Coordinates of all heavy atoms in Angstrom, one line a residue:
M1 N 8.1 -19.6 11.4 CA 8.6 -18.3 11.8 C 8.5 -17.9 13.2 O 7.4 -18.1 13.7 CB 7.9 -17.3 10.9 CG 8.7 -16.1 10.5 SD 8.0 -14.8 9.4 CE 7.8 -15.7 7.9
T2 N 9.5 -17.5 13.9 CA 9.4 -17.2 15.3 C 9.8 -15.7 15.5 O 10.2 -15.1 14.5 CB 10.4 -18.0 16.1 OG1 11.8 -17.7 15.7 CG2 10.2 -19.5 16.1
G3 N 9.5 -15.1 16.6 CA 9.7 -13.8 16.9 C 8.5 -12.9 16.7 O 7.4 -13.4 16.7
R4 N 8.7 -11.6 16.7 CA 7.6 -10.7 16.6 C 7.5 -10.1 15.2 O 8.4 -9.6 14.7 CB 7.8 -9.6 17.6 CG 7.9 -9.9 19.0 CD 8.2 -8.6 19.9 NE 8.1 -8.9 21.3 CZ 9.2 -9.2 22.0 NH1 10.4 -9.1 21.4 NH2 9.1 -9.4 23.2
F5 N 6.2 -10.2 14.7 CA 6.0 -9.8 13.3 C 4.7 -9.2 13.3 O 3.8 -9.5 13.9 CB 6.0 -10.9 12.3 CG 7.3 -11.6 12.2 CD1 7.6 -12.7 13.1 CD2 8.2 -11.3 11.2 CE1 8.8 -13.3 13.0 CE2 9.4 -11.9 11.1 CZ 9.8 -12.9 12.0
F6 N 4.6 -8.2 12.3 CA 3.2 -7.7 12.0 C 3.1 -7.7 10.4 O 4.2 -7.9 9.8 CB 3.0 -6.2 12.5 CG 3.8 -5.2 12.0 CD1 3.6 -4.5 10.7 CD2 4.9 -4.8 12.7 CE1 4.5 -3.5 10.3 CE2 5.8 -3.8 12.3 CZ 5.6 -3.2 11.1
D7 N 2.0 -7.6 9.9 CA 1.8 -7.8 8.5 C 1.8 -6.4 7.8 O 1.1 -5.5 8.3 CB 0.4 -8.4 8.2 CG 0.2 -8.6 6.7 OD1 0.6 -9.6 6.2 OD2 -0.4 -7.7 6.1
W8 N 2.5 -6.3 6.8 CA 2.6 -5.0 6.0 C 2.2 -5.4 4.5 O 3.0 -6.1 3.9 CB 4.0 -4.4 6.0 CG 4.2 -3.3 5.0 CD1 4.9 -3.3 3.9 CD2 3.5 -1.9 5.0 NE1 4.9 -2.2 3.2 CE2 4.0 -1.3 3.9 CE3 2.7 -1.3 5.9 CZ2 3.6 0.0 3.5 CZ3 2.4 0.0 5.6 CH2 2.8 0.6 4.4
N9 N 1.1 -5.1 4.2 CA 0.6 -5.4 2.8 C 0.9 -6.8 2.3 O 1.3 -7.0 1.3 CB 1.2 -4.3 1.9 CG 0.7 -2.9 2.0 OD1 -0.4 -2.7 2.5 ND2 1.6 -2.0 1.8
G10 N 0.7 -7.7 3.3 CA 0.9 -9.1 3.0 C 2.3 -9.7 3.3 O 2.5 -10.8 3.1
S11 N 3.2 -8.8 3.8 CA 4.6 -9.3 4.1 C 4.8 -9.2 5.6 O 4.3 -8.3 6.3 CB 5.6 -8.4 3.5 OG 5.6 -8.5 2.0
A12 N 5.5 -10.3 6.2 CA 5.7 -10.2 7.6 C 6.9 -9.4 7.9 O 8.0 -9.6 7.4 CB 6.0 -11.7 8.1
I13 N 6.7 -8.3 8.8 CA 7.8 -7.4 9.2 C 8.2 -7.7 10.6 O 7.4 -7.6 11.6 CB 7.2 -5.9 9.1 CG1 6.7 -5.7 7.6 CG2 8.3 -4.9 9.5 CD1 7.7 -5.9 6.5
P14 N 9.5 -7.9 10.9 CA 9.9 -8.2 12.2 C 10.1 -6.9 12.9 O 10.3 -5.7 12.3 CB 11.3 -8.9 12.0 CG 11.8 -8.3 10.7 CD 10.5 -8.1 9.9
F15 N 10.0 -6.9 14.2 CA 10.2 -5.7 15.0 C 10.8 -6.0 16.4 O 10.6 -7.2 16.9 CB 9.0 -4.8 15.2 CG 7.8 -5.5 16.0 CD1 7.6 -5.3 17.4 CD2 6.9 -6.4 15.4 CE1 6.8 -5.9 18.0 CE2 6.0 -7.0 16.1 CZ 5.8 -6.8 17.4
R16 N 11.4 -5.1 17.1 CA 11.9 -5.3 18.4 C 10.9 -4.6 19.4 O 10.2 -3.7 19.1 CB 13.3 -4.6 18.6 CG 14.4 -5.3 17.9 CD 15.6 -4.7 18.0 NE 15.8 -3.9 16.8 CZ 16.9 -3.2 16.5 NH1 17.9 -3.1 17.4 NH2 17.0 -2.6 15.4
E17 N 10.9 -5.1 20.6 CA 10.0 -4.6 21.6 C 10.2 -3.1 21.7 O 11.3 -2.6 21.9 CB 10.3 -5.3 23.0 CG 9.4 -4.9 24.1 CD 8.0 -5.5 24.0 OE1 8.0 -6.6 23.4 OE2 7.1 -4.7 24.3
G18 N 9.1 -2.4 21.7 CA 9.1 -0.9 21.9 C 9.2 -0.1 20.6 O 9.1 1.1 20.6
E19 N 9.5 -0.8 19.5 CA 9.7 -0.1 18.2 C 8.3 0.4 17.7 O 7.3 -0.2 17.9 CB 10.3 -1.0 17.1 CG 11.7 -0.9 17.0 CD 12.2 -1.7 15.9 OE1 11.7 -2.7 15.4 OE2 13.3 -1.2 15.3
T20 N 8.3 1.5 17.0 CA 7.1 1.9 16.3 C 7.0 1.2 15.0 O 8.0 0.6 14.5 CB 7.2 3.5 16.0 OG1 8.2 3.7 15.1 CG2 7.3 4.3 17.3
I21 N 5.8 1.3 14.5 CA 5.6 0.7 13.1 C 6.6 1.4 12.1 O 7.2 0.7 11.3 CB 4.2 0.9 12.6 CG1 3.3 -0.1 13.5 CG2 4.0 0.6 11.2 CD1 1.8 0.2 13.3
A22 N 6.8 2.7 12.2 CA 7.7 3.3 11.2 C 9.1 2.9 11.4 O 9.8 2.6 10.4 CB 7.6 4.9 11.4
A23 N 9.6 2.7 12.6 CA 10.9 2.3 12.9 C 11.1 0.8 12.3 O 12.1 0.5 11.7 CB 11.2 2.3 14.3
A24 N 10.2 0.0 12.5 CA 10.2 -1.4 12.0 C 10.2 -1.4 10.5 O 11.0 -2.2 9.9 CB 9.1 -2.2 12.6
L25 N 9.4 -0.6 9.9 CA 9.4 -0.6 8.5 C 10.7 -0.2 7.8 O 11.2 -0.7 6.9 CB 8.2 0.2 7.9 CG 6.8 -0.4 8.1 CD1 5.7 0.5 7.8 CD2 6.6 -1.7 7.4
T26 N 11.2 1.0 8.4 CA 12.4 1.5 8.0 C 13.5 0.5 8.1 O 14.3 0.3 7.3 CB 12.8 2.8 8.8 OG1 11.7 3.8 8.6 CG2 14.1 3.4 8.3
G27 N 13.5 -0.2 9.3 CA 14.5 -1.3 9.5 C 14.5 -2.4 8.5 O 15.4 -3.0 8.2
A28 N 13.3 -2.6 8.0 CA 13.0 -3.7 7.0 C 13.4 -3.1 5.5 O 13.2 -3.9 4.6 CB 11.7 -4.2 7.1
G29 N 13.7 -1.9 5.5 CA 14.0 -1.3 4.2 C 12.8 -0.7 3.4 O 12.9 -0.4 2.2
I30 N 11.7 -0.6 4.1 CA 10.4 -0.1 3.5 C 10.3 1.4 3.8 O 10.1 1.7 5.0 CB 9.3 -0.9 4.0 CG1 9.4 -2.4 3.6 CG2 8.0 -0.3 3.5 CD1 8.4 -3.3 4.2
L31 N 10.4 2.2 2.9 CA 10.4 3.6 3.1 C 9.2 4.2 2.5 O 8.6 5.3 2.8 CB 11.7 4.3 2.5 CG 13.0 3.8 3.0 CD1 14.1 4.5 2.4 CD2 13.0 4.0 4.6
H32 N 8.7 3.6 1.5 CA 7.4 4.1 0.8 C 6.2 3.6 1.5 O 5.9 2.5 1.5 CB 7.5 3.6 -0.7 CG 6.3 4.1 -1.5 ND1 6.1 3.5 -2.8 CD2 5.4 5.0 -1.4 CE1 5.1 4.1 -3.3 NE2 4.6 5.0 -2.5
L33 N 5.5 4.6 2.1 CA 4.3 4.2 2.9 C 3.0 4.4 2.1 O 2.0 4.3 2.7 CB 4.3 5.0 4.2 CG 5.6 4.8 5.0 CD1 5.5 5.7 6.3 CD2 5.8 3.3 5.4
G34 N 3.1 4.9 0.9 CA 1.9 5.2 0.2 C 2.0 6.4 -0.7 O 3.2 6.8 -0.8
D35 N 1.0 6.9 -1.3 CA 1.1 8.1 -2.1 C 0.3 9.2 -1.4 O -0.8 8.9 -0.9 CB 0.6 7.8 -3.5 CG 1.5 6.8 -4.2 OD1 2.7 6.9 -4.1 OD2 0.9 6.0 -4.9
D36 N 0.9 10.5 -1.5 CA 0.1 11.5 -0.8 C -1.1 12.0 -1.7 O -1.3 11.4 -2.9 CB 1.0 12.7 -0.4 CG 1.6 13.4 -1.5 OD1 1.1 13.3 -2.7 OD2 2.6 14.1 -1.4
S37 N -1.8 13.1 -1.3 CA -3.0 13.5 -2.1 C -2.7 14.1 -3.5 O -3.5 14.1 -4.3 CB -3.7 14.6 -1.3 OG -2.8 15.6 -1.1
V38 N -1.4 14.4 -3.8 CA -1.1 14.8 -5.2 C -0.2 13.7 -5.9 O 0.3 14.0 -6.9 CB -0.3 16.2 -5.1 CG1 -1.1 17.3 -4.6 CG2 1.0 16.1 -4.3
G39 N -0.2 12.6 -5.3 CA 0.4 11.4 -6.0 C 1.9 11.3 -5.8 O 2.6 10.5 -6.4
S40 N 2.5 12.1 -4.8 CA 3.9 11.9 -4.5 C 4.1 10.8 -3.5 O 3.1 10.6 -2.7 CB 4.5 13.3 -3.9 OG 4.4 14.3 -4.9
E41 N 5.2 10.3 -3.4 CA 5.5 9.2 -2.5 C 5.5 9.8 -1.1 O 6.1 10.7 -0.7 CB 6.9 8.7 -2.7 CG 7.2 7.4 -2.1 CD 8.6 6.9 -2.6 OE1 8.5 6.2 -3.7 OE2 9.6 7.0 -1.9
A42 N 4.7 9.1 -0.2 CA 4.6 9.4 1.2 C 5.7 8.6 2.0 O 5.7 7.4 1.8 CB 3.2 9.1 1.8
R43 N 6.5 9.3 2.9 CA 7.5 8.7 3.7 C 7.5 9.2 5.0 O 7.1 10.2 5.3 CB 8.9 9.0 3.0 CG 9.2 8.4 1.7 CD 10.5 8.9 1.1 NE 10.8 8.1 0.0 CZ 11.9 7.3 -0.1 NH1 12.7 7.3 1.0 NH2 12.1 6.6 -1.1
Y44 N 8.1 8.4 5.9 CA 8.4 8.8 7.3 C 9.2 10.1 7.2 O 10.2 10.1 6.5 CB 9.1 7.6 7.9 CG 9.6 7.8 9.3 CD1 8.8 7.9 10.3 CD2 11.0 7.9 9.4 CE1 9.4 8.1 11.6 CE2 11.6 8.1 10.7 CZ 10.7 8.2 11.7 OH 11.3 8.3 13.0
F45 N 8.8 11.1 7.9 CA 9.5 12.4 7.8 C 9.8 13.0 9.2 O 11.0 13.0 9.6 CB 8.7 13.4 6.9 CG 9.4 14.7 6.7 CD1 10.6 14.8 6.0 CD2 8.8 15.8 7.3 CE1 11.2 16.1 5.9 CE2 9.4 17.1 7.1 CZ 10.6 17.2 6.4
C46 N 8.8 13.4 9.9 CA 9.2 14.2 11.1 C 9.4 13.3 12.3 O 10.2 13.7 13.2 CB 8.0 15.2 11.4 SG 6.5 14.5 12.0
G47 N 8.7 12.2 12.4 CA 8.8 11.3 13.5 C 8.2 11.8 14.8 O 8.3 11.1 15.9
I48 N 7.4 12.8 14.8 CA 6.8 13.3 16.0 C 5.2 13.5 15.9 O 4.6 14.2 16.7 CB 7.5 14.6 16.5 CG1 7.3 15.7 15.4 CG2 8.8 14.4 17.0 CD1 7.7 17.1 15.9
G49 N 4.7 13.0 14.7 CA 3.2 13.1 14.6 C 2.8 14.5 14.0 O 1.6 14.7 14.0
A50 N 3.7 15.3 13.5 CA 3.3 16.6 13.0 C 3.0 16.6 11.5 O 2.1 17.4 11.1 CB 4.4 17.6 13.3
C51 N 3.7 15.9 10.7 CA 3.5 16.0 9.2 C 2.5 15.2 8.6 O 2.1 15.5 7.5 CB 5.0 15.7 8.6 SG 5.4 14.0 8.5
Q52 N 2.1 14.1 9.2 CA 1.1 13.2 8.8 C 1.5 12.4 7.4 O 0.7 11.8 6.7 CB -0.2 13.9 8.4 CG -0.8 14.7 9.7 CD -1.3 13.8 10.7 OE1 -2.3 13.0 10.6 NE2 -0.6 13.8 11.8
N53 N 2.7 12.5 7.2 CA 3.3 11.8 6.0 C 3.3 10.2 6.2 O 3.3 9.5 5.2 CB 4.8 12.2 5.7 CG 4.9 13.2 4.7 OD1 3.9 14.0 4.4 ND2 6.1 13.5 4.2
C54 N 3.3 9.8 7.4 CA 3.4 8.4 7.7 C 2.1 7.7 7.9 O 2.1 6.6 8.5 CB 4.4 8.2 8.8 SG 3.7 8.7 10.4
L55 N 0.9 8.3 7.6 CA -0.3 7.6 7.9 C -0.4 6.2 7.2 O -0.1 6.1 6.0 CB -1.5 8.5 7.4 CG -1.6 9.9 8.1 CD1 -2.8 10.6 7.5 CD2 -1.8 9.7 9.6
V56 N -0.8 5.3 8.1 CA -1.1 4.0 7.5 C -2.4 3.4 8.1 O -2.9 4.0 9.1 CB 0.1 3.0 8.0 CG1 1.4 3.4 7.2 CG2 0.4 3.0 9.5
R57 N -2.9 2.4 7.7 CA -4.0 1.8 8.2 C -3.6 0.6 9.1 O -3.0 -0.3 8.6 CB -5.0 1.3 7.0 CG -6.4 1.0 7.4 CD -7.3 0.8 6.2 NE -7.5 1.9 5.4 CZ -8.3 2.9 5.6 NH1 -9.1 2.9 6.7 NH2 -8.5 3.9 4.8
V58 N -4.0 0.7 10.4 CA -3.7 -0.3 11.3 C -4.9 -1.0 11.8 O -5.7 -0.4 12.4 CB -2.9 0.3 12.5 CG1 -2.6 -0.7 13.6 CG2 -1.7 1.1 12.1
N59 N -5.1 -2.3 11.5 CA -6.3 -3.0 11.8 C -7.6 -2.2 11.4 O -8.4 -2.1 12.1 CB -6.3 -3.4 13.2 CG -5.4 -4.6 13.5 OD1 -4.7 -5.1 12.7 ND2 -5.2 -4.9 14.8
G60 N -7.5 -1.5 10.2 CA -8.6 -0.8 9.7 C -8.6 0.7 10.1 O -9.4 1.5 9.4
A61 N -7.9 1.1 11.1 CA -7.9 2.5 11.6 C -6.7 3.2 11.0 O -5.6 2.7 11.0 CB -8.0 2.6 13.1
I62 N -6.9 4.5 10.7 CA -5.8 5.3 10.2 C -4.9 5.9 11.5 O -5.5 6.5 12.3 CB -6.3 6.4 9.4 CG1 -6.9 5.9 8.0 CG2 -5.2 7.4 9.0 CD1 -7.6 6.9 7.2
R63 N -3.6 5.6 11.5 CA -2.8 6.0 12.5 C -1.5 6.5 11.9 O -1.1 6.2 10.8 CB -2.5 4.8 13.3 CG -3.6 4.1 14.0 CD -4.0 4.8 15.2 NE -5.1 4.1 15.9 CZ -6.4 4.5 16.0 NH1 -6.6 5.6 15.4 NH2 -7.3 3.8 16.6
E64 N -0.7 7.3 12.8 CA 0.6 7.7 12.4 C 1.6 6.6 12.6 O 1.6 6.1 13.8 CB 1.1 8.9 13.2 CG 0.3 10.2 12.8 CD -0.9 10.4 13.8 OE1 -1.3 9.4 14.6 OE2 -1.4 11.5 13.9
A65 N 2.3 6.0 11.7 CA 3.2 5.0 11.9 C 4.3 5.3 12.8 O 4.9 4.6 13.6 CB 3.8 4.5 10.5
C66 N 4.7 6.6 12.9 CA 5.8 7.1 13.8 C 5.4 7.1 15.2 O 6.3 7.2 16.1 CB 6.3 8.4 13.3 SG 5.2 9.8 13.6
L67 N 4.1 7.1 15.6 CA 3.6 7.2 16.9 C 3.0 5.8 17.4 O 2.7 5.8 18.6 CB 2.6 8.3 17.0 CG 3.0 9.7 16.7 CD1 1.9 10.7 16.9 CD2 4.2 10.1 17.6
T68 N 2.8 4.9 16.6 CA 2.1 3.7 16.8 C 3.1 2.6 17.1 O 3.9 2.2 16.2 CB 1.1 3.3 15.7 OG1 0.3 4.4 15.5 CG2 0.3 2.2 16.1
R69 N 3.0 2.0 18.3 CA 4.0 0.9 18.5 C 3.6 -0.4 17.8 O 2.4 -0.7 17.6 CB 3.9 0.6 20.0 CG 4.6 1.6 20.9 CD 5.0 1.1 22.2 NE 5.6 2.2 22.8 CZ 6.7 2.2 23.5 NH1 7.3 1.0 23.6 NH2 7.2 3.2 24.1
A70 N 4.6 -1.1 17.3 CA 4.4 -2.3 16.7 C 3.9 -3.4 17.7 O 4.4 -3.4 18.8 CB 5.7 -2.8 15.9
V71 N 2.9 -4.2 17.3 CA 2.4 -5.2 18.2 C 2.3 -6.5 17.2 O 1.8 -6.3 16.1 CB 1.1 -4.8 18.7 CG1 0.4 -6.0 19.4 CG2 1.1 -3.6 19.6
A72 N 2.7 -7.6 17.7 CA 2.6 -8.8 17.0 C 1.2 -9.1 16.5 O 0.2 -8.9 17.2 CB 3.0 -10.0 17.7
G73 N 1.1 -9.4 15.2 CA -0.2 -9.7 14.6 C -1.0 -8.6 14.0 O -2.1 -8.8 13.4
L74 N -0.5 -7.3 14.1 CA -1.2 -6.2 13.5 C -1.3 -6.4 12.1 O -0.3 -6.9 11.4 CB -0.5 -4.9 13.8 CG -0.6 -4.3 15.2 CD1 0.1 -2.9 15.3 CD2 -2.1 -4.1 15.6
S75 N -2.3 -5.8 11.5 CA -2.4 -5.8 10.0 C -2.2 -4.2 9.6 O -3.1 -3.4 10.0 CB -3.8 -6.2 9.5 OG -3.9 -6.1 8.2
V76 N -1.1 -4.0 8.9 CA -0.8 -2.6 8.6 C -0.8 -2.5 7.1 O -0.2 -3.4 6.4 CB 0.6 -2.2 9.2 CG1 0.9 -0.7 8.9 CG2 0.6 -2.5 10.7
A77 N -1.4 -1.5 6.6 CA -1.4 -1.3 5.1 C -1.3 0.2 4.6 O -1.4 1.1 5.5 CB -2.7 -1.9 4.6
C78 N -1.0 0.4 3.5 CA -1.0 1.8 2.9 C -2.3 2.4 3.0 O -3.4 1.7 3.0 CB -0.6 1.8 1.4 SG 1.1 1.3 1.1
V79 N -2.4 3.8 3.2 CA -3.7 4.5 3.1 C -3.8 5.1 1.7 O -2.8 5.7 1.3 CB -3.6 5.6 4.2 CG1 -4.8 6.5 4.1 CG2 -3.6 4.9 5.6
E80 N -5.0 5.0 1.1 CA -5.3 5.8 0.0 C -5.5 7.2 0.6 O -6.5 7.5 1.2 CB -6.5 5.3 -0.7 CG -6.3 4.0 -1.4 CD -5.3 4.2 -2.6 OE1 -5.3 5.2 -3.3 OE2 -4.6 3.3 -2.9
R81 N -4.6 8.1 0.2 CA -4.7 9.5 0.9 C -6.0 10.1 0.5 O -6.6 11.0 1.2 CB -3.5 10.4 0.4 CG -2.2 9.9 0.9 CD -2.3 9.6 2.4 NE -0.9 9.6 3.1 CZ -0.3 8.5 3.4 NH1 -0.8 7.4 3.1 NH2 0.9 8.6 3.9
R82 N -6.5 9.9 -0.7 CA -7.8 10.5 -1.1 C -9.0 10.1 -0.1 O -9.9 10.8 0.1 CB -8.1 10.1 -2.5 CG -7.3 10.8 -3.6 CD -7.6 10.4 -5.0 NE -7.2 9.0 -5.2 CZ -6.0 8.6 -5.6 NH1 -5.1 9.5 -5.8 NH2 -5.8 7.4 -5.7
D83 N -8.8 8.8 0.4 CA -9.9 8.4 1.4 C -9.7 9.2 2.7 O -10.8 9.4 3.4 CB -9.6 6.9 1.7 CG -9.9 6.0 0.6 OD1 -10.4 6.4 -0.4 OD2 -9.4 4.9 0.7
H84 N -8.6 9.8 3.0 CA -8.3 10.4 4.3 C -8.8 11.8 4.2 O -9.2 12.4 5.2 CB -6.9 10.3 4.6 CG -6.5 11.0 5.9 ND1 -7.0 10.6 7.1 CD2 -5.7 12.1 6.1 CE1 -6.6 11.5 8.1 NE2 -5.7 12.4 7.4
D85 N -8.6 12.5 3.0 CA -8.9 13.9 2.9 C -10.4 14.2 3.1 O -11.2 13.6 2.9 CB -8.4 14.5 1.6 CG -6.9 14.4 1.5 OD1 -6.2 14.4 2.5 OD2 -6.4 14.4 0.4
Ligands
FES101 S1 6.6 11.0 10.2 FE1 5.5 12.9 10.5 S2 3.6 12.3 11.5 FE2 4.8 10.5 11.3

């Protein structure tokens, strides 16, 4: 496999230079980023870091996918929202 990829829950996600993790996931057709604290589906929403709907775990740290640039080799995964609260 060539090009730029990061790992999303075990799948290789391609991205373009400068894209955020949220943009790359959306481009790959991945809209469900986890479940929120009441069990509803968490999705990319505001795109400016305000709603916290897009929280993901990036190399173990919780980050907003809409503000975090994709970098080759990152490990990105869903966040258990109960862990975050
Ligand atoms: S989509 Fe709202 S904080 Fe990322």
